[in-house]
Amino acid sequence: MGTQSRVVENVPKGIYVAGEWRDASGGGGFWVEDPGTSKRLCQVADGQAEDAASALDAAVDAQTEWAATPPRERGEILRRAWQLMTDRVDDLAMLMTLEMGKSLAESRTEVTYAAEFLRWFSEEAVRIEGRYAEAPAGGSRLLTMKQPVGPCLLITPWNFPLAMGTRKIGPAVAAGCTMVVKPAQLTPLSMLQLAELLAEAGLPPGVLNVVPSSSAGKTVGPLMSDRRLRKVSFTGSTPVGKSLMEQAAQNLLRVSMELGGNAPFLVFGDADLDAAVDGAVIAKMRNNGESCVAANRFHVAEDVAEEFAAKLAEQLGAMKVGHGAEEGTQVGPLIDGDQRDKVTELVDDAVGKGATVATGGSAAAGDGYFFTPTVLTEVPESARILSEEVFGPVAPVTTFGSEEQALALANGTEFGLVAYVYTQDLRRALRVAEGLQTGMVGLNTGMVSNAAAPFGGVKASGFGREGGVEGIAEYLSTKYVAVSMG
Ligand code: SIN
């Protein structure tokens, strides 16, 4: 059996509840497709409301004992899981490439990134601290302690099938929370494989439960209104995030939302242009452009814009498009036909309004959902591509005259996840970083993602931070104890 069939064959395909794999109630399944061939890979149990309820039952049953487990023990489970992921990077990467499309090289990088969240939070588990203070008026003491928020619902997206899971699961495990995970319908296999790996690392039954499903409404809906649930963490689109917020309000859940982006990439006239182009390739092309932190629009100082666009077009035009598992592929397929159609529509809209195609410009041939890496110049302000999240390998380039104009363009969006800035002037760099309405800034770098850093946005990009020392706080409540000394 080849590696591709073996990894698909070996992945568990059921609902994972209380440490056991089971069929969905009703026995149904849904198909997972390879976006690089548009062919079916395998069927996965199609979770229903009853399965979601059993998963939450298991999480609730496990909560008290799990919260009382020594932090070091919780940390060591995460550390063992990091080791197992690291040892199995090749198989995990192949599985991810098959269900999501990105190249094997990118999948390996994601497995490593995902594993890093487990290692980072294995170290944070033993640093959960409270404080002790004398009341200002004397006579009593103020004691605070941090406690797990309780059972969590973690909803993960298809674009980073492992990393978006581990950056929720890692801190939840470290904090002593139990959880139900609802992986994306398009890419459930990596999460199911991770559940098995975490059990092997020693995670007790019931702490992590996974409910794959073709219907978020049937599974997530009832969970959100169950009073035993205490928190929801979601990564995905802003409209879905808003609807979850409304549901969360009914149950007053703790909420973390990592939502859409529309990242500006600013290149000032004093920038190292070659470095800016290299950074632009990473910020745009990582994950085939299917990332919330993908550079969505390039605003370049008038005097260097032509050279920047030509160099970017040369690099993107030379990238090899193909099935993610093929040797040498740099750009895999988009996730499905809808996504390819949406990217095509945005490019056609821009070109129809006067943009020039410097390279690419259309879907690429093949059985999968391929789109040619594209650079557009002279993109008019009215083009939808400047205000909508592209989620594809398309780089629209526009120009600016002054620093004030660059900032106004960058901030002229409802989103506020990340912005990228290239300049060699330190004062300007800090001025612009301070002025940007985003949760993150890449300064002379096209990559901000790091397990040790607080990832998250402002405005319509959501709130809450994942990763870093901030990440575990999302899973902890502060209890204050007033201590009489009388
Ligand atoms: C995302 O696309 O949601 C996150 C990407 C990352 O963590 O780098």
Side-chain angles (χ1 to χ4, degrees):
M1 200 188 292
T3 313
Q4 298 190 17
S5 351
R6 178 175 53 77
V7 295
V8 174
E9 178 93 13
N10 287 350
V11 67
K13 301 180 182 69
I15 313 269
Y16 187 60
V17 174
E20 283 176 4
W21 295 96
R22 46 166 93 162
D23 291 336
S25 18
F30 66 93
W31 287 99
V32 181
E33 196 183 85
D34 174 352
T37 60
S38 72
K39 302 232 160 43
R40 289 168 162 184
L41 285 170
C42 63
Q43 258 194 322
V44 163
D46 195 0
Q48 305 295 313
E50 295 81 347
D51 302 306
S54 317
L56 185 58
D57 291 345
V60 170
D61 289 350
Q63 180 58 65
T64 305
E65 199 179 329
W66 180 240
T69 307
R72 175 70 74 202
E73 215 172 300
R74 301 199 297 264
E76 296 207 327
I77 292 168
L78 290 173
R79 176 79 187 196
R80 280 197 293 277
W82 165 78
Q83 187 65 61
L84 288 172
M85 286 184 79
T86 305
D87 295 345
R88 296 175 194 171
V89 59
D90 289 337
D91 280 3
L92 289 167
M94 178 59 86
L95 188 64
M96 188 184 296
T97 287
L98 291 175
E99 68 171 344
M100 188 274 162
K102 67 183 87 177
S103 70
L104 270 180
E106 287 233 35
S107 290
R108 279 197 201 96
T109 306
E110 183 183 336
V111 176
T112 304
Y113 176 43
E116 272 313 316
F117 284 104
L118 302 184
R119 180 158 68 164
W120 174 264
F121 286 109
S122 77
E123 292 153 355
E124 290 301 289
V126 292
R127 311 207 197 297
I128 299 168
E129 290 168 351
R131 65 191 163 89
Y132 180 84
E134 186 177 356
S140 66
R141 300 293 181 267
L142 314 180
L143 181 64
T144 68
M145 57 183 81
K146 296 282 168 69
Q147 295 182 312
V149 296
C152 304
L153 171 60
L154 312 179
I155 308 174
T156 59
W158 52 261
N159 61 340
F160 288 90
L162 277 179
M164 300 304 98
T166 55
R167 80 174 177 199
K168 298 180 194 304
I169 295 167
V173 166
C177 295
T178 59
M179 65 212 85
V180 177
V181 180
K182 160 71 180 70
Q185 179 189 347
L186 292 168
T187 58
L189 302 180
S190 298
M191 180 57 68
L192 294 169
Q193 193 65 76
L194 178 67
E196 189 176 68
L197 183 148
L198 281 161
E200 197 180 331
L203 196 65
V207 174
L208 171 90
N209 306 278
V210 184
V211 185
S213 178
S214 65
S215 167
K218 278 192 192 149
T219 48
V220 168
L223 290 180
M224 293 288 289
S225 56
D226 191 314
R227 304 192 94 167
R228 298 171 303 164
L229 188 74
R230 293 314 322 136
K231 178 184 169 72
V232 61
S233 175
F234 171 70
T235 298
S237 75
T238 298
V240 175
K242 284 182 181 170
S243 148
L244 285 168
M245 286 284 295
E246 281 170 18
Q247 296 171 56
Q250 302 311 311
N251 207 1
L252 288 175
L253 297 177
R254 283 277 295 270
V255 178
S256 305
M257 292 278 154
E258 203 266 271
L259 308 177
N262 177 10
F265 190 105
L266 306 179
V267 183
F268 286 92
D270 59 43
D272 173 338
L273 214 59
D274 289 328
V277 172
D278 290 346
V281 174
I282 294 167
K284 179 72 257 181
M285 298 305 293
R286 172 174 175 247
N287 220 41
N288 305 334
E290 293 173 307
S291 164
C292 302
V293 287
N296 209 56
R297 51 203 167 101
F298 294 79
H299 302 297
V300 186
E302 273 156 8
D303 48 342
V304 294
E306 203 178 316
E307 190 183 346
F308 173 85
K311 288 185 168 178
L312 185 61
E314 193 183 330
Q315 289 216 32
L316 262 55
M319 291 182 93
K320 183 171 182 281
V321 181
H323 191 285
E326 267 166 29
E327 192 59 39
T329 290
Q330 291 169 293
V331 187
L334 296 176
I335 189 69
D336 61 14
D338 287 350
Q339 189 54 31
R340 187 184 53 188
D341 293 349
K342 189 193 149 201
V343 174
T344 308
E345 204 180 293
L346 289 175
V347 170
D348 290 350
D349 170 75
V351 173
K353 288 173 177 159
T356 301
V357 178
T359 187
S362 57
D367 293 332
Y369 309 111
F370 300 100
F371 199 93
T372 318
T374 296
V375 176
L376 303 174
T377 58
E378 291 151 291
V379 183
E381 238 176 82
S382 60
R384 285 170 50 201
I385 201 160
L386 296 179
S387 55
E388 292 180 32
E389 194 172 25
V390 184
F391 249 59
V394 182
V397 181
T398 73
T399 59
F400 64 79
S402 66
E403 188 179 308
E404 292 68 33
Q405 203 191 350
L407 255 184
L409 284 167
N411 289 336
T413 169
E414 62 170 324
F415 297 105
L417 189 57
V418 64
Y420 302 92
V421 181
Y422 273 77
T423 175
Q424 299 195 80
D425 177 336
L426 180 62
R427 286 198 189 94
R428 165 178 279 159
L430 295 177
R431 247 187 344 254
V432 173
E434 285 178 11
L436 284 163
Q437 297 165 359
T438 56
M440 301 177 285
V441 176
L443 206 48
N444 293 318
T445 174
M447 175 79 162
V448 294
S449 308
N450 191 315
F455 188 105
V458 297
K459 295 161 72 179
S461 294
F463 43 78
R465 293 294 178 266
E466 295 190 304
V469 291
E470 293 83 355
I472 197 166
E474 304 278 322
Y475 295 86
L476 293 167
S477 294
T478 301
K479 181 180 280 175
Y480 152 57
V481 182
V483 185
S484 164
M485 300 298 277

